[in-house]
Amino acid sequence: MDIIGGGTAGCPLAATLSKNFNVLLLERGGVPFTNPNVSFLDNFHITLADTSPTSASQFFMSTDGVYNARARVLGGGSAINAGFYTRASSRFIQKMGWDAELVNKSYPWVEKQIVHRPTFSHWQRALRDGLLDAGVSPFNGFTYEHKYGTKLGGTIFDRFGRRHTAAELLASGNPNKLTVLIYATVQKIVFYTTGKRPKAMGVIFKDENGKQHKAILGNDRQNEVIVSSGAIGTPQMLLLSGIGPKAELEKLKIPVVLDNRFVGKGMVDNPMNTIFVPLKKPVKQSLIETVGITNRGVYIEASSGFGQSSDSIHCHHGMLSAEIGQLSTIPPKQRSEEAIKAFMKNKKDIPIEAFKGGFILTKVANPWSTGDLRLVNTNVDDNPAVTFNYFSHPADLQRCVEGIQLVTKVVQSQHFTNLTMCVKQTTEQFLNNTVNANVNLIPKHVNDTKSLEQFCRDTVITIWHYHGGCHVGKVVDSDHKVLGVNRLRVIDGSTFTESPGTNPQATVHGNEDFKR
C-alpha cells in the first residue's frame, strides 16, 4: 500500500492497515516532535503565522481574499490546529452512509491515545455562562458527543500544554510492515493505461534533496495507492496525475488518464467571524474548549490571550494576528506577491497588547455556498487556486448575522463584563474594534459597520474546516475508490460534502480506522 499524505487521515490509516499489509506512508513535511512551535499550545498562533518554506503550516490565500493554511508536517492538521476534539453528529454519519455502531467503536481508539480534558479557563467559563444566558441550552457538561446546547469538549493538548497529534497514532502500527518517509513529496500517481481501465501502479516522489524516486505497488490485487492529502492536496494530486476535467488538464499539457469534470468541484469552507473583546488585564491563554451549538447551524466558540514559549522559533507574522493593519484597503488588482511580502516583512513582532483580551467566534456550519479548486501550474509545491465563494448563498449570510447577534448578547452579559472589568460596549463599538483589524484581504466598508451583513462579508475568516473536491458519487464510489480507475482510493476530508460536527479532526481520525 502506498499512502500519500501522513496527516490526520493518513497516519491512523497507515497504522491500521499495517496490521495486515505492507504500508509505505509518504509525508511531504517533517516531524512535529522536534518543533516547539508545533508542540506547545503557547505557540499556536506562531505556527500559523510562519510563512517560511520550512513551516509546518503552508500559507495560502483563497481567491476570495481570505488567509488560510495547509498542514505540511507528519500529523497534518492535528499538528497545527486549535486542538478541539468532538465527535460527528449522528445526522452526518447517517448522511455519509456509515455504520454508526462501527464509527462509535472507532472513536475510543483515538481518544485513549491522544485526547485530554481541557483545563477550563475563566474565559471559557464566561462563554459557557453567557451562552446559557443567551438561550443556547441545555448545558451538556463535558462530552465528546455532538449535542445541541452548550458543552465542554475534548482537546489534544494535555494539562502541560503539550500537543498530541495523529503522528502518535503510528505507534499502534506494525513496525515490521510500516515504513514512514518524511520530506517525501509525491509528484504524481503513475498508471498502467493499456487495459480497459487505467490502473494505479505506484507513485513518483522526490526527497529533501530533490532526487526523484518511484514506489511501485506489488502484484497483489489488494495493493492500492491511497490519497490522504486533504481537501487541497488530494484534488490537486489527482489533477497533476491526469484525473480531472480534460480541457483544464490539456491546457497545462498534463496527459489525460481519466476525464472527470467533478475533480476539484464542490469546495466548501465554514466561514467564521470574530468579535474582539478587550480586557484591562492579561488573560490566560486558551484555545477552543467550550462550544454553543444552535439548531440553526450556528456555532459559538472562543479563544483568549496570547502565548510564546522561550524556545519558540521566531518567524514572520502575516496571518490572523490582531494587529491593526490596512493591507485590506489595497484594491484586489494591486495585491501582488511583492505587496504581501512587504506587508509581512513589516510585521516582525506581534505586540502583546493586541492580545490583552480574547475573541468570540461564530461559525456557519454546513454552508450552502460552494466553490472550486484549479491548478495554476504543474508544480506540486505551489498552491492551486481555491475559491470558496463565502456568503454567496443568502442563507449563509443570514446565519452569520444571527451568529453576530448571539455573540453580542454573550459579550454584553454580566459574566463577561465581570471578567473584562470594562464598561459594557454597544454592538457598534464591538464591530468597529473588529472591522479595523487586519483579518483578510477583502476591502473594508469601515463606514458601514451598522450593517451586520456587510460586517460578515468584510471580516470573514476561516476556521480551517475546508472540505470537498472529491465527492462520493462524483469522484469516488461509496467505498472511496476513484471512479473509472483501478487500485486508487481517496480517504480524507476531500470526500465530505459538509464538515462533521463542531470540528472534523475526530471524524477524520476515526473514519480512517473504521473504513478498513
Side-chain angles (χ1 to χ4, degrees):
M1 296 283 180
D2 291 347
I3 299 178
I4 306 172
T8 314
C11 285
L13 181 63
T16 53
L17 283 176
S18 70
K19 302 293 175 66
N20 300 309
F21 303 97
N22 289 313
V23 176
L24 173 63
L25 179 63
L26 299 159
E27 166 54 44
R28 67 185 183 135
V31 294
F33 313 111
T34 58
N35 185 338
N37 282 13
V38 168
S39 297
F40 298 104
L41 183 149
D42 282 354
N43 300 330
F44 165 70
H45 304 87
I46 298 171
T47 304
L48 288 172
D50 183 358
T51 59
S52 68
T54 57
S55 173
S57 171
Q58 181 178 355
F59 171 84
F60 81 94
M61 187 173 68
S62 69
T63 64
D64 314 276
V66 174
Y67 297 133
N68 217 314
R70 306 168 58 186
R72 184 168 48 194
V73 61
L74 193 68
S78 67
I80 65 171
N81 67 9
F84 192 63
Y85 180 96
T86 179
R87 298 179 178 185
S89 64
S90 56
R91 186 190 64 78
F92 175 86
I93 294 168
Q94 185 177 13
K95 183 177 179 180
M96 294 297 290
W98 294 343
D99 181 333
E101 185 179 352
L102 191 56
V103 172
N104 288 327
K105 284 181 179 176
S106 298
Y107 282 128
W109 179 77
V110 177
E111 292 156 7
K112 287 174 185 174
Q113 297 182 78
I114 65 170
V115 187
H116 303 266
R117 187 165 182 155
T119 54
F120 204 38
S121 69
H122 292 302
W123 187 262
Q124 301 293 329
R125 281 195 177 89
L127 175 65
R128 176 198 64 187
D129 296 339
L131 283 168
L132 293 173
D133 276 4
V136 186
S137 56
F139 179 55
N140 294 306
F142 172 75
T143 178
Y144 294 143
E145 300 298 334
H146 182 92
K147 294 182 176 182
Y148 292 113
T150 297
K151 73 163 196 170
L152 183 67
T155 178
I156 57 173
F157 291 102
D158 63 24
R159 61 193 180 95
F160 302 107
R162 179 176 285 275
R163 181 191 294 273
H164 296 269
T165 75
E168 294 174 38
L169 300 174
L170 291 169
S172 300
N174 179 350
N176 298 317
K177 289 181 175 287
L178 176 59
T179 301
V180 180
L181 297 183
I182 56 172
Y183 300 116
T185 304
V186 175
Q187 309 279 269
K188 66 177 181 178
I189 305 159
V190 287
F191 298 90
Y192 294 111
T193 55
T194 52
K196 289 183 179 179
R197 286 161 60 102
K199 180 169 71 171
M201 61 182 286
V203 300
I204 295 174
F205 67 95
K206 65 178 180 180
D207 60 26
E208 65 266 44
N209 299 315
K211 185 178 179 181
Q212 285 203 343
H213 306 266
K214 273 188 180 180
I216 303 301
L217 296 174
N219 292 324
D220 189 327
R221 289 183 62 186
Q222 290 184 300
N223 269 327
E224 296 177 342
V225 172
I226 302 176
V227 192
S228 297
S229 302
I232 307 299
T234 291
Q236 180 187 27
M237 180 55 58
L238 293 187
L239 292 167
L240 289 171
S241 304
I243 298 176
K246 184 178 179 181
E248 291 181 32
L249 298 176
E250 289 178 339
K251 195 182 295 183
L252 290 171
K253 298 181 179 177
I254 297 172
V256 180
V257 173
L258 184 76
D259 180 14
N260 185 331
R261 63 191 176 92
F262 295 113
V263 177
K265 303 302 187 290
M267 297 296 297
V268 177
D269 191 20
N270 296 111
M272 181 172 78
N273 296 79
T274 71
I275 294 290
F276 177 65
V277 184
L279 273 81
K280 287 191 174 180
K281 60 180 182 180
V283 63
K284 181 183 177 183
Q285 185 182 14
S286 71
L287 298 180
I288 312 302
E289 297 177 5
T290 308
V291 60
I293 303 173
T294 76
N295 57 13
R296 287 275 294 157
V298 174
Y299 296 177
I300 309 298
E301 301 170 2
S303 66
S304 64
F306 175 76
Q308 186 165 340
S309 68
S310 58
D311 59 350
S312 66
I313 303 168
H314 291 262
C315 56
H316 293 302
H317 299 93
M319 180 180 168
L320 286 182
S321 63
E323 299 160 270
I324 302 302
Q326 288 299 308
L327 183 61
S328 54
T329 60
I330 297 177
K333 290 182 180 178
Q334 295 175 30
R335 294 175 200 155
S336 64
E337 286 292 321
E338 291 75 21
I340 294 171
K341 285 177 182 176
F343 182 66
M344 290 190 292
K345 189 176 181 181
N346 292 330
K347 303 171 87 175
K348 291 181 179 176
D349 292 298
I350 296 179
I352 298 301
E353 293 77 19
F355 291 93
K356 213 174 190 181
F359 295 88
I360 311 297
L361 327 170
T362 174
K363 178 183 90 171
V364 175
N366 311 328
W368 291 89
S369 306
T370 64
D372 60 23
L373 175 152
R374 299 173 186 272
L375 296 180
V376 293
N377 58 34
T378 57
N379 185 352
V380 70
D381 295 319
D382 291 344
N383 292 310
V386 188
T387 304
F388 293 116
N389 291 320
Y390 297 102
F391 301 130
S392 58
H393 194 288
D396 297 341
L397 189 61
Q398 180 55 40
R399 285 187 293 160
C400 175
V401 168
E402 292 172 16
I404 296 297
Q405 291 169 333
L406 182 55
V407 167
T408 302
K409 284 183 184 177
V410 171
V411 175
Q412 290 176 334
S413 72
Q414 193 68 45
H415 307 289
F416 264 97
T417 52
N418 287 346
L419 178 64
T420 62
M421 300 196 314
C422 294
V423 177
K424 185 185 291 188
Q425 293 190 336
T426 66
T427 300
E428 192 171 351
Q429 285 173 318
F430 280 124
L431 299 187
N432 280 328
N433 286 342
T434 306
V435 81
N436 284 315
N438 169 51
V439 293
N440 58 38
L441 291 187
I442 297 172
K444 303 292 184 285
H445 298 73
V446 291
N447 297 320
D448 192 20
T449 53
K450 289 183 180 178
S451 165
L452 294 185
E453 288 84 357
Q454 194 61 57
F455 176 83
C456 285
R457 291 191 184 100
D458 283 355
T459 63
V460 63
I461 56 177
T462 183
I463 198 165
W464 312 288
H465 295 172
Y466 48 80
H467 49 279
C470 296
H471 284 162
V472 175
K474 294 183 177 179
V475 178
V476 299
D477 66 16
S478 58
D479 289 324
H480 288 211
K481 293 179 179 178
V482 175
L483 296 166
V485 180
N486 291 337
R487 300 213 298 182
L488 181 61
R489 200 182 297 246
V490 170
I491 299 184
D492 60 22
S494 69
T495 65
F496 294 173
T497 53
E498 62 183 65
S499 185
T502 316
N503 183 295
Q505 77 167 333
T507 308
V508 176
H509 282 321
N511 173 34
E512 315 328 318
D513 183 37
F514 71 75
K515 283 301 287 185
R516 297 302 298 187

